[in-house]
Amino acid sequence: MKAGDTLVRTVTVRAEGLRAMMIPEADFTAPQGVRLYRQDPSLSEETDRNGQSIAGLRKDVASYLFQDAGNYALPAVTVSWFDPASAKTQSATAPAVSVTVSAAAALPPCSCAPPRRSRNAMPSTGCTWL
């Protein structure tokens, strides 16, 4: 990966006996120097042939934007929920991820000469001059 690139992390939870809206969201966090952008979750129901809900499905997606070169550790992502079958709180964890980001490629210098100032002519050199 290079500085300016993004990494997408997706967590999908299928919970039998629960509606999708009852599945808690994944807890995404980002280290210093990384921007985190969350998408709206995708919620759906798995049903039997009679239309009765069997399980809820929740998909959470987060994009991490790496602004600078370096080594980063994206923290583990944990989802906790109440399991009605065991009457206990359960949890599942996606492991931490190590990411190495290299420096972004430098833009080549503009090889155009500065535009000549003329009263009636507009320069069309292909370079932007500020």
Side-chain angles (χ1 to χ4, degrees):
M1 296 192 73
K2 295 181 183 164
D5 286 350
T6 58
L7 178 134
V8 177
R9 203 169 191 191
T10 303
V11 175
T12 303
V13 177
R14 179 183 180 274
E16 289 186 29
L18 278 180
R19 305 290 279 190
M21 69 177 81
M22 300 304 293
I23 302 170
E25 67 183 77
D27 184 26
F28 293 104
T29 58
Q32 185 81 20
V34 180
R35 290 197 176 191
L36 176 64
Y37 299 95
R38 294 184 62 124
Q39 293 180 10
D40 289 336
S42 170
L43 303 175
S44 61
E45 303 292 329
E46 191 176 295
T47 58
D48 63 16
R49 49 188 150 140
N50 296 325
Q52 297 297 316
S53 180
I54 298 172
L57 297 165
R58 179 186 180 110
K59 183 168 90 169
D60 289 289
V61 179
S63 297
Y64 296 86
L65 172 62
F66 297 91
Q67 299 169 309
D68 300 310
N71 294 315
Y72 298 92
L74 301 182
V77 177
T78 301
V79 177
S80 298
W81 70 94
F82 180 77
D83 181 0
S86 67
K88 294 182 179 176
T89 300
Q90 304 287 335
S91 65
T93 302
V97 177
S98 296
V99 179
T100 300
V101 178
S102 61
L107 294 175
C110 184
S111 61
C112 303
R116 293 185 186 169
R117 299 278 182 194
S118 163
R119 275 197 260 181
N120 300 326
M122 297 271 297
S124 60
T125 63
C127 294
T128 302
W129 298 96
L130 302 175

